[in-house]
Amino acid sequence: RYHVRSTDLARVHEGRCVIVVAETKNFRALATSQVGPGDCVLEIGCASGATSAILAQKAKRVVAVDIDSSLVAACKAQLSYPNLEFHHLDCLRDRDRLAHLAPAPALTMIDINGN
């Protein structure tokens, strides 16, 4: 395990990148350090939208998706950023729609922790 302050993390990718993280705190730190103002970001599994809000403050565009329609509805009701969209979507079953919503994200972020 590495313990690094998010302020010490440098951007390590150029071009298309997929970041999969198993711990929400680290996921949010990476959302802060790895996203730039020109990036289009796809967030798979947005849950409550907490990381989506961080991404929206950093990126040009954020497409946040979740399989749970009630979570997506709550995110839409509670969060409003002009560059942030929430969608109810099963990424494994509806890959065509996913490709249409986010055709060329610079960064795809997935938090596999489940919270």
Side-chain angles (χ1 to χ4, degrees):
R1 252 200 208 285
Y2 296 99
H3 298 280
V4 179
R5 291 185 307 232
S6 60
T7 55
D8 293 337
L9 294 173
R11 185 174 168 128
V12 296
H13 74 89
E14 291 301 326
R16 289 183 160 178
C17 180
V18 176
I19 296 177
V20 180
V21 182
E23 209 291 310
T24 302
K25 182 179 176 184
N26 294 335
F27 185 69
R28 292 185 181 145
L30 289 168
T32 300
S33 68
Q34 299 302 304
V35 177
D39 289 339
C40 294
V41 180
L42 170 62
E43 180 189 15
I44 297 176
C46 62
S48 69
T51 304
S52 309
I54 293 169
L55 293 168
Q57 293 172 43
K58 303 282 287 181
K60 178 180 179 181
R61 179 176 181 235
V62 178
V63 175
V65 301
D66 203 284
I67 195 169
D68 186 327
S69 61
S70 63
L71 289 175
V72 172
C75 288
K76 286 180 177 181
Q78 295 172 7
L79 297 169
S80 177
Y81 292 88
N83 60 334
L84 173 60
E85 354 173 336
F86 291 100
H87 298 276
H88 172 237
L89 179 71
D90 181 338
C91 295
L92 298 177
R93 292 196 172 139
D94 202 351
R95 292 183 299 238
D96 290 339
R97 183 167 170 236
L98 180 64
H100 176 74
L101 291 172
L107 183 62
T108 299
M109 299 192 67
I110 308 168
D111 179 1
I112 60 172
N113 190 29
N115 66 8

